[in-house]
Amino acid sequence: LEASVSRRIPGALRVRIAEAEPVALAERGGRLVLLDAAGRVLPFDPSIVAADLPVADTDSGVARLLSRIRETDPRFFGRIERGLKWRTDVALDLPAGRVLFRTGASADEIRDLLLVEQYLTQTGKRWKELDARFASRVFVRGMGA
């Protein structure tokens, strides 16, 4: 949450408020908390505020990637069950399998992975892992018919 107040002469005040949106649920201190895109804990109780969000590590890189995915493809974001720091990268668990991204993956890299996933789905191929950590490449592991 960010707020700023400025003055407009002769006698007006301008108040701007930018609300931080939650991108994930995380466990901290034995309870669930909401995280924003920077990995900061938001001051809302997720048991009161219904949140249909993936569960994630409290790592800011994971939160930033989840936010970028939500901006790039909200439907893909909605399928993510869990996001976690995996070595220096991010692993995302989906119902179909695991997806690996670099922490700073771009919107284009996210779309590239989605094209590969779409192709595999259309051709009836199952997979266990899609690895998009390498420039202009998506590696498919555990592929079957």
Side-chain angles (χ1 to χ4, degrees):
L1 180 67
E2 294 178 19
S4 65
V5 178
S6 59
R7 184 175 168 198
R8 281 185 75 180
I9 307 268
L13 289 177
R14 182 183 317 180
V15 178
R16 290 184 177 205
I17 298 174
E19 186 175 6
E21 293 188 44
V23 297
L25 291 165
E27 185 179 338
R28 184 174 276 175
R31 63 184 187 90
L32 284 179
V33 295
L34 292 170
L35 296 180
D36 71 1
R40 295 179 298 234
V41 175
L42 297 174
F44 304 107
D45 183 354
S47 65
I48 296 172
V49 179
D52 185 18
L53 298 169
V55 175
D57 288 346
T58 55
D59 180 78
S60 62
V62 174
R64 278 192 302 275
L65 179 62
L66 288 170
S67 178
R68 197 168 308 113
I69 290 170
R70 183 172 62 185
E71 291 169 4
T72 303
D73 192 312
R75 288 185 301 161
F76 176 51
F77 176 80
R79 293 187 293 131
I80 299 170
E81 296 173 343
R82 181 172 173 80
L84 56 125
K85 185 81 168 168
W86 188 76
R87 298 180 187 162
T88 60
D89 302 307
V90 176
L92 303 174
D93 291 333
L94 305 173
R98 177 166 276 192
V99 173
L100 301 174
F101 279 111
R102 289 179 310 100
T103 303
S106 69
D108 286 338
E109 291 168 318
I110 294 165
R111 284 189 283 272
D112 289 346
L113 176 123
L114 291 172
L115 287 172
V116 170
E117 182 193 27
Q118 181 181 11
Y119 171 78
L120 293 170
T121 300
Q122 288 174 348
T123 57
K125 306 266 192 246
R126 289 188 310 228
W127 52 273
K128 290 186 181 174
E129 186 175 86
L130 298 178
D131 189 342
R133 295 176 295 154
F134 308 97
S136 302
R137 288 175 171 63
V138 175
F139 293 94
V140 181
R141 295 187 184 94
M143 194 165 69

